Amino acid sequence: MVARLLSLIAFVALAMTASVSTAEEVVLGLSKDKISINTNFDGSEILIFGAIKREELIPDGPPVQVIVTIAGPSLPITVRRKEKKLGIWVNTDAVDVDEAPSFYAVLSSGPLRDVLKEVEDLRYRVSVPRAIRSVGAPQNIDNSAVFTEALIRIRENSEIYQLREGSVVIEEQTLFRTSVRLPAALTEGDYATRIFLTRGGDVVSSYATTIDVQKVGMERWLFELSRQQPLLYGLMSLAIAIAAGWGAAAVFKLFRA
């Protein structure tokens, strides 16, 4: 009898969760889902737009909010601390970050702390610090968090990491749009794009897709050559450097004459 009652309670809870999760759904559009990197590539701007699909009227209570995240391929990275010794800057301590997105952007319809609760941020790993995975640090490092903070600060200054609060425009609680600028120095791979609908800081629906970033033309040929035939790539690079140096010297000698 107790087992039946527990099963019934679990079924009812599952049904309620399903009804809530499907009450509002995201219908998404991207201006482009593929980006080609060539020798003239200087970045790309992507328009993200969509609608909120509902089976019923707009629910009462807090207005719907939208959060968009775009994450490039995650890679390990070593963060080093520099100190000045005897007038020379040298590397001292180092911390290995297990996974850090090569690019990460968070766009929201309002201040992130207002549209997303901390527990939901912890669950979905939305904010920039949550997107970085650093398990541990050497025992001789007292405060390893400062290394992650330094990584975030450096990449924010170069716009590799972006937090753009209030950049998502919502119309009539149904349509939304925003745009994001991808820098020229993009890492090749799939860029995970997520959209979250929130009410009162709780995630009520989410949607995920990818943007494909690939090298093409000469960029692709050089990339594959460096991976498949590194010796030939090195010799070719050396020959180009020698030719460039000889050409510069010849031009300089011509001007002197």
Side-chain angles (χ1 to χ4, degrees), residues 48-91:
I48 302 169
F49 55 92
I52 302 170
K53 178 183 176 182
R54 300 183 178 92
E55 299 295 337
E56 302 175 356
L57 297 176
I58 297 176
D60 295 330
V64 70
Q65 304 287 351
V66 177
I67 303 171
V68 179
T69 68
I70 300 178
S74 291
L75 302 170
I77 185 172
T78 300
V79 183
R80 303 182 187 277
R81 173 185 287 155
K82 289 182 178 292
E83 292 183 3
K84 197 171 186 179
K85 295 183 177 181
L86 301 177
I88 301 175
W89 288 98
V90 295
N91 294 325

Side-chain angles (χ1 to χ4, degrees), residues 177-199:
R177 70 181 186 277
T178 188
S179 63
V180 60
R181 177 74 181 176
L182 301 181
L186 287 180
T187 300
E188 191 177 30
D190 291 333
Y191 283 59
T193 303
R194 300 181 297 168
I195 293 87
F196 299 95
L197 300 183
T198 69
R199 283 188 180 276

Side-chain angles (χ1 to χ4, degrees), residues 14-189:
L14 182 61
M16 291 177 64
T17 302
S19 64
V20 171
S21 63
T22 57
E24 295 179 302
E25 297 180 355
V26 178
V27 181
L28 180 69
L30 297 172
S31 60
K32 59 179 74 174
D33 58 5
K34 290 185 179 180
I35 296 177
S36 298
I37 302 176
N38 53 30
T39 53
N40 298 322
F41 182 76
D42 61 352
S44 180
E45 186 171 8
I46 297 179
L47 175 64
I48 302 169
F49 55 92
I52 302 170
K53 178 183 176 182
R54 300 183 178 92
E55 299 295 337
E56 302 175 356
L57 297 176
I58 297 176
D60 295 330
V64 70
Q65 304 287 351
V66 177
I67 303 171
V68 179
T69 68
I70 300 178
S74 291
L75 302 170
I77 185 172
T78 300
V79 183
R80 303 182 187 277
R81 173 185 287 155
K82 289 182 178 292
E83 292 183 3
K84 197 171 186 179
K85 295 183 177 181
L86 301 177
I88 301 175
W89 288 98
V90 295
N91 294 325
T92 54
D93 300 328
V95 169
D96 293 327
V97 176
D98 300 271
E99 288 184 358
S102 55
F103 172 84
Y104 195 70
V106 181
L107 307 98
S108 62
S109 54
L112 192 60
R113 65 176 181 273
D114 295 339
V115 302
L116 186 69
K117 292 180 178 177
E118 181 69 20
V119 64
E120 294 287 62
D121 186 19
L122 183 63
R123 177 183 179 186
Y124 292 99
R125 305 176 72 89
V126 174
S127 63
V128 175
R130 298 291 185 193
I132 298 175
R133 183 173 177 268
S134 184
V135 176
Q139 294 183 354
N140 62 322
I141 304 297
D142 295 330
N143 189 4
S144 61
V146 298
F147 288 81
T148 303
E149 293 170 1
L151 173 65
I152 294 173
R153 183 174 62 255
I154 292 170
R155 292 193 168 183
E156 283 180 340
N157 291 337
S158 58
E159 296 187 347
I160 296 176
Y161 288 170
Q162 304 175 17
L163 173 59
R164 296 174 51 200
E165 298 174 311
S167 61
V168 180
V169 178
I170 304 176
E171 297 180 357
E172 302 296 330
Q173 290 287 288
T174 302
L175 303 176
F176 65 89
R177 70 181 186 277
T178 188
S179 63
V180 60
R181 177 74 181 176
L182 301 181
L186 287 180
T187 300
E188 191 177 30

